[in-house]
Amino acid sequence: MEHPLYIQNTLTKEKENFIPIESPFVGMYVCGPTVYSDVHLGNVRTFLSFDIMYRYLKHLGYKVRYVRNITDVGHLVGDVDEGEDKIAKKAKAEQLEPMEVVQKYTNNFHDVMRIFNIQNPSIEPTATGHIIEQIEMVQAILERGFAYEVNGSVYFDVLKYSESENYGILSGRKIDELLNNTRDLDGQNEKKNAVDFAIWKKAEGGHLMRWNSPWGEGFPGWHLECSVMSTKYLGKDFDIHGGGMDLKFPHHECEIAQNKASQNAGGAKYWVHTNMLTVNGRKMAKSEGNGFTPEELISGNHKLLEQGYSPMTVRFFILQCHYASTLDFSNEALKAAEKGYARLMNAVQLIKDLPISDESSQNLNDFKARALAAMNDDFNTPIAIAALFDLSKFINSVKDGKEQINQMDKDHLLGWMPTFVDEVLGLSQEEQGRNNELVDELMKAFIALRLQARENKNYELSDQIRDGLKEVNITLKDGKEGTSWSID
């Protein structure tokens, strides 16, 4: 590549030049949802961030195999090795079959992904669809001496593994600190060491989801599924793996250990994690009373929201913050994003009607180069959007006769900017397009009304129309050829 792509690798703690493993495709895996509850905004941000990576890698010409799993078994209450499976617990509470719960919340997850224009992955495997492969990986780990069986459960021997490998290579955790800080848990006496984790759990009486195995009826540990499905579809060595930063430890740390213990390979070369969400500077959480759902954000039906915001406004808002930075929700920031999204999409719509001059007053390649350089710098969408805002300002200036563009540059701009906004940033023009005709007609009416007021020397009314539109970020500009308008 002429301009290399750099990715912040959580594993090495460095921003690295992305060099794919030699393969027919770039392999990318992201830990998908556990389908026992509605999608939360943290999910949306994570999957939107990986959607951008997926889109941009394809834009660069890579053939990408993107795998995003569905966790439909094995995720225990409290994310420890004891308690009920979260899906089974939900099934009992709602008097449903576990797979009814899975289907209900999987459908909900897909609906939310569609609303925010998040593309489908290449493969979307489920944990329950890969029980045989998970049993095989448990057997491989046992055979290599990195696990042990107790009363029908199989535990990963972290201390044995740590004799030859670095458990904590991703998160930076130290074994001694983990041992000192690990809480005593029910069933802890089954384990050799407090830090050991289950890769297969015996199904006690009443446990709804269970499968036959060499160790009796049971179910796989939560961490196991991603090791199995990532390596099955991408190979034991692949390119990118990630998820929310809350998965770094223990989930992703355990994945690396399982991969090395069973296949003598660590899985992904590049580990990527998205950061947390806050609301008005405080961590977003149910306990804080500030955890609103995507549906509440769109409808505005929440005590902390002054209004609802369209899905594309929310997508644009999320893209204005780098995926690795904390994203803070506030009404002020969302309203600013609403205006920014409208301004960008309005500029895209204006390109085809720009007047042509013999020469262009600016080098349009500079705008494009800035946007691409930002994306090559660890998918830095806020900097890319800043370049597009400067380009939008130029487009509006051409419309107003303050700048010029020639035919060749206009054709190039028309072929590049709408594609970049739509295919790379995933900002759909549909919502804007549905309203464009109505807005145009309304603005014609306002301009005609203002012109009539000026002809009648009713300058007070003329000023009221101009100032009223300015309050909603619409600027009227008077010129020799009449009055034009733009969204600020």
Side-chain angles (χ1 to χ4, degrees):
M1 292 175 58
E2 182 179 352
H3 301 287
L5 169 66
Y6 287 88
I7 298 178
Q8 183 68 44
N9 191 347
T10 308
L11 184 64
T12 63
K13 316 299 188 293
E14 300 290 339
K15 191 178 287 186
E16 298 182 3
N17 183 3
F18 177 66
I19 302 175
I21 293 170
E22 189 173 343
S23 168
F25 49 78
V26 170
M28 185 169 79
Y29 187 95
V30 62
C31 294
T34 304
V35 284
Y36 70 95
S37 65
D38 291 327
V39 180
H40 58 77
L41 282 173
N43 292 141
V44 173
R45 190 198 187 182
T46 294
F47 301 129
L48 195 157
S49 298
F50 280 89
D51 181 59
I52 288 293
M53 297 175 201
Y54 181 37
R55 288 170 177 270
Y56 191 60
L57 287 168
K58 291 192 295 181
H59 181 74
L60 293 177
Y62 290 112
K63 181 180 179 181
V64 185
R65 178 177 290 174
Y66 176 26
V67 182
R68 184 184 68 201
N69 73 297
I70 296 290
T71 297
D72 57 356
V73 69
H75 199 153
L76 301 182
V77 175
D79 298 338
V80 294
D81 288 337
E82 301 299 323
E84 288 185 274
D85 182 288
K86 292 183 177 183
I87 293 168
K89 183 178 180 181
K90 190 79 170 183
K92 288 179 180 178
E94 298 187 8
Q95 295 186 321
L96 298 171
E97 283 291 328
M99 286 300 107
E100 286 184 276
V101 173
V102 167
Q103 192 65 56
K104 173 183 176 181
Y105 290 106
T106 299
N107 290 344
N108 172 257
F109 170 72
H110 289 151
D111 289 343
V112 172
M113 294 300 100
R114 280 191 292 270
I115 287 171
F116 291 102
N117 199 24
I118 296 172
Q119 292 186 339
N120 294 326
S122 311
I123 304 172
E124 192 173 57
T126 65
T128 55
H130 296 76
I131 297 297
I132 293 174
E133 292 91 338
Q134 290 180 80
I135 290 173
E136 290 173 347
M137 181 170 280
V138 173
Q139 289 175 313
I141 295 171
L142 279 166
E143 288 169 4
R144 298 192 66 200
F146 292 112
Y148 54 92
E149 185 265 333
V150 180
N151 298 326
S153 294
V154 182
Y155 295 97
F156 191 95
D157 192 335
V158 173
L159 293 191
K160 175 67 175 178
Y161 173 81
S162 297
E163 292 174 3
S164 57
E165 300 288 349
N166 179 11
Y167 183 79
I169 190 172
L170 182 65
S171 63
R173 308 289 180 100
K174 304 297 182 184
I175 287 293
D176 291 343
E177 294 174 2
L178 290 172
L179 285 169
N180 290 333
N181 295 330
T182 301
R183 296 179 292 112
D184 288 332
L185 302 169
D186 291 337
Q188 187 74 66
N189 60 318
E190 282 193 348
K191 301 180 183 181
K192 289 182 181 180
N193 317 296
V195 292
D196 295 348
F197 59 90
I199 52 180
W200 185 267
K201 282 292 291 180
K202 178 182 178 181
E204 303 293 347
H207 196 98
L208 297 179
M209 304 178 79
R210 56 176 69 207
W211 289 265
N212 290 322
S213 78
W215 318 283
E217 285 193 343
F219 55 95
W222 169 41
H223 311 305
L224 191 66
E225 62 177 282
C226 289
S227 285
V228 164
M229 290 186 281
S230 62
T231 56
K232 171 169 180 156
Y233 296 109
L234 301 176
K236 66 179 183 178
D237 294 298
F238 59 95
D239 298 297
I240 300 172
H241 191 341
M245 65 181 300
D246 58 313
L247 296 181
K248 188 187 302 184
F249 186 88
H251 187 55
H252 289 159
E253 197 75 74
C254 293
E255 277 191 61
I256 292 174
Q258 290 167 161
N259 289 0
K260 287 187 175 180
S262 63
Q263 302 175 347
N264 199 31
K269 181 179 179 182
Y270 301 89
W271 286 84
V272 181
H273 293 90
T274 58
N275 213 322
M276 64 184 292
L277 304 180
T278 58
V279 179
N280 299 317
R282 297 178 65 87
K283 183 178 179 180
M284 182 181 289
K286 288 182 180 179
S287 59
E288 293 281 346
N290 63 359
F292 39 80
T293 65
E295 291 80 3
E296 289 170 334
L297 188 55
I298 293 170
S299 68
N301 186 25
H302 191 280
K303 63 182 180 180
L304 295 180
L305 296 171
E306 295 176 4
Q307 65 178 69
Y309 301 93
S310 73
M312 285 299 100
T313 294
V314 175
R315 184 179 178 103
F316 182 81
F317 170 72
I318 292 174
L319 294 179
Q320 285 186 295
C321 179
H322 188 264
Y323 74 84
S325 300
T326 301
L327 175 63
D328 187 58
F329 280 80
S330 69
N331 283 285
E332 293 74 17
L334 286 163
K335 287 177 182 177
E338 187 173 52
K339 295 172 184 176
Y341 166 69
R343 183 162 70 247
L344 177 62
M345 302 310 287
N346 182 65
V348 170
Q349 291 293 321
L350 287 175
I351 298 173
K352 62 181 181 301
D353 296 322
L354 291 178
I356 299 301
S357 300
D358 292 335
E359 300 291 337
S360 294
S361 55
Q362 293 200 42
N363 183 353
L364 269 64
N365 286 328
D366 289 344
F367 298 108
K368 179 179 178 180
R370 285 170 53 200
L372 293 178
M375 293 300 293
N376 285 336
D377 184 16
D378 197 23
F379 310 100
N380 201 325
T381 53
I383 301 300
I385 288 172
L388 294 178
F389 274 160
D390 288 342
L391 180 54
S392 299
K393 184 178 180 181
F394 169 77
I395 291 169
N396 278 291
S397 294
V398 172
K399 178 192 173 187
D400 296 336
K402 298 177 181 178
E403 300 264 17
Q404 293 80 45
I405 189 171
N406 63 30
Q407 186 67 59
M408 183 174 67
D409 283 347
K410 178 180 175 179
D411 291 342
H412 181 70
L413 182 59
L414 190 59
W416 176 76
M417 186 179 181
T419 299
F420 186 85
V421 170
D422 180 26
E423 295 184 6
V424 175
L425 298 182
L427 294 169
S428 171
Q429 299 187 43
E430 292 180 356
E431 182 175 342
Q432 185 75 7
R434 288 195 297 267
N435 296 321
N436 274 346
E437 186 175 343
L438 176 60
V439 171
D440 286 339
E441 292 303 316
L442 286 172
M443 289 309 303
K444 288 177 183 178
F446 277 123
I447 291 171
L449 183 61
R450 180 168 174 264
L451 178 61
Q452 185 64 48
R454 295 177 70 177
E455 290 176 351
N456 293 337
K457 298 185 178 181
N458 188 349
Y459 299 114
E460 182 179 358
L461 176 59
S462 173
D463 290 345
Q464 286 178 348
I465 295 172
R466 180 199 62 203
D467 295 342
L469 291 171
K470 187 67 177 176
E471 288 181 5
V472 293
N473 297 291
I474 296 176
T475 299
L476 296 182
K477 300 174 184 178
D478 297 317
K480 293 181 181 179
E481 298 182 0
T483 300
S484 63
W485 62 277
S486 64
I487 299 175
D488 296 335

